Amino acid sequence: GHDFPAIPQASLDGFLLSHTTLGRIASSMGMHFMSLMHSLQRSGVKSVPVPKGIGRYYERNHLKECAPGLQLDGVEQVNWDTV
């Protein structure tokens, strides 16, 4: 496993107001994260730079700008404010 420093819940909640994770998006869409990652890249969405081995994070405003109506087979339109 990995040892990560504890992050207070309030800090995490604040972060998730302006950011979301690839895993959260994929889960809400019922997609595999790798397929979604490639679809986001093709739409011009860039993840937040993080050290290797850390999951992908995205700024919600960037998602709204680059993929406002991201259309994927079998997936309803995404609400970037809540995913």
Side-chain angles (χ1 to χ4, degrees), residues 4-78:
F4 291 103
I7 299 171
Q9 188 64 46
S11 295
L12 180 58
D13 292 343
F15 178 78
L16 290 174
L17 289 174
S18 59
H19 294 75
T20 192
T21 67
L22 179 62
R24 284 176 177 256
I25 301 168
S27 178
S28 74
M29 297 174 103
M31 293 183 67
H32 189 273
F33 74 94
M34 289 298 287
S35 298
L36 177 60
M37 181 183 73
H38 294 301
S39 294
L40 290 171
Q41 288 173 335
R42 283 191 299 274
S43 294
V45 175
K46 300 204 182 321
S47 61
V48 174
V50 294
K52 189 173 182 158
I54 303 294
R56 290 180 186 250
Y57 293 89
Y58 298 91
E59 292 183 35
R60 292 182 188 278
N61 286 334
H62 182 60
L63 287 163
K64 288 185 231 179
E65 291 171 12
C66 293
L70 182 67
Q71 296 295 312
L72 300 167
D73 291 338
V75 176
E76 294 181 24
Q77 187 155 343
V78 181

